[in-house]
Amino acid sequence: MSEERLRSFMASAPDAFCLYDSELNLLDVNEALLKYWPEGTTKEDLIGKNMSVLSPYTIENGRCDKYHEVIKTGTPFQAKHITLDSIYGEVHLSLKAFKVSEGLGVITTDITDRIRIEKELVKAERISAVGKVSAMVGQDLRGPLQSIKNALYFMERALEKAEEMRGQIEDSVDYARVFWKTSDTVPET
């Protein structure tokens, strides 16, 4: 592959590419990486600087040691989800580091949109689940509530019948009293 084709490939790639030497000094970077730096930053501003200067947090979080291990062993390293607070807000990245000659290659993919969509999907699924639970609870409550309503109706009807029967019983007692008054013995009530 010619140098020109490689430059064309790196310039048009949507992912950020970085090449470092064995001491983690930046050798080259594509344009996609510059979007994570303040506006106006050029490749020339970054090339030649050590990773510890460009990204001090890589020392703090131990990733710098992992990069040295990649250079030493040739075993690739992947960080599937890195969150940065950049000048443009919170950015989510996936990073792959691999040995290139005696140095290190790093490909960084912006997964911010994917993470945002995943969060929205989880939120939508929760809302859907709450809706389903509400519907089930509503359905589960409708049956017992209808039973209670029916029981109250029958109790009211029974009370009406009881009042009606009480009236009939009182009439019968009164009739019996009248009947017994006319006879010699009147039962006590």
Side-chain angles (χ1 to χ4, degrees):
M1 181 181 269
S2 72
E3 181 77 22
E4 184 180 319
R5 289 174 76 187
L6 177 61
R7 291 274 167 222
S8 175
F9 170 75
M10 286 187 66
S12 62
D15 293 336
F17 293 173
C18 304
L19 291 174
Y20 294 91
D21 66 15
S22 62
E23 299 300 316
L24 297 180
N25 295 310
L26 188 62
L27 298 174
D28 201 0
V29 62
N30 69 346
E31 293 294 319
L33 183 95
L34 296 177
K35 73 180 180 181
Y36 301 110
W37 291 90
E39 192 172 331
T41 301
T42 65
K43 289 171 59 167
E44 291 72 27
D45 296 331
L46 304 175
I47 292 176
K49 292 185 180 170
N50 191 275
M51 183 182 289
S52 63
V53 173
L54 295 171
S55 305
Y57 60 87
T58 59
I59 294 172
E60 296 166 12
N61 64 24
R63 203 172 312 124
C64 197
D65 293 335
K66 292 178 183 178
Y67 294 149
H68 281 293
E69 189 68 22
V70 170
I71 293 169
K72 181 180 172 185
T73 66
T75 303
F77 163 73
Q78 183 171 358
K80 294 187 179 190
H81 188 172
I82 300 168
T83 303
L84 300 176
D85 287 322
S86 79
I87 57 174
Y88 304 108
E90 190 174 76
V91 177
H92 301 273
L93 305 172
S94 173
L95 179 138
K96 296 174 188 162
F98 49 93
K99 187 171 183 172
V100 176
S101 188
E102 297 302 313
L104 180 76
V106 179
I107 299 174
T108 305
T109 304
D110 187 338
I111 57 172
T112 304
D113 288 338
R114 188 189 88 202
I115 297 298
R116 180 186 48 77
I117 290 168
E118 287 173 357
K119 285 179 181 178
E120 289 174 6
L121 181 60
V122 167
K123 184 178 177 182
E125 287 172 348
R126 284 184 186 152
I127 290 170
S128 175
V130 166
K132 288 177 183 176
V133 168
S134 296
M136 289 184 333
V137 167
Q139 182 65 30
D140 289 347
L141 285 177
R142 258 184 242 120
L145 288 175
Q146 186 61 45
S147 295
I148 292 169
K149 184 177 176 182
N150 291 343
L152 287 172
Y153 171 79
F154 285 117
M155 287 174 67
E156 286 173 355
R157 296 289 296 155
L159 285 174
E160 289 172 8
K161 285 285 188 186
E163 286 297 318
E164 185 180 312
M165 291 187 76
R166 180 176 171 215
Q168 289 176 354
I169 291 170
E170 286 176 352
D171 289 346
S172 296
V173 168
D174 289 343
Y175 177 77
R177 280 193 182 140
V178 169
F179 177 77
W180 288 107
K181 278 188 183 179
T182 56
S183 75
D184 295 338
T185 354
V186 178
E188 293 184 20
T189 54

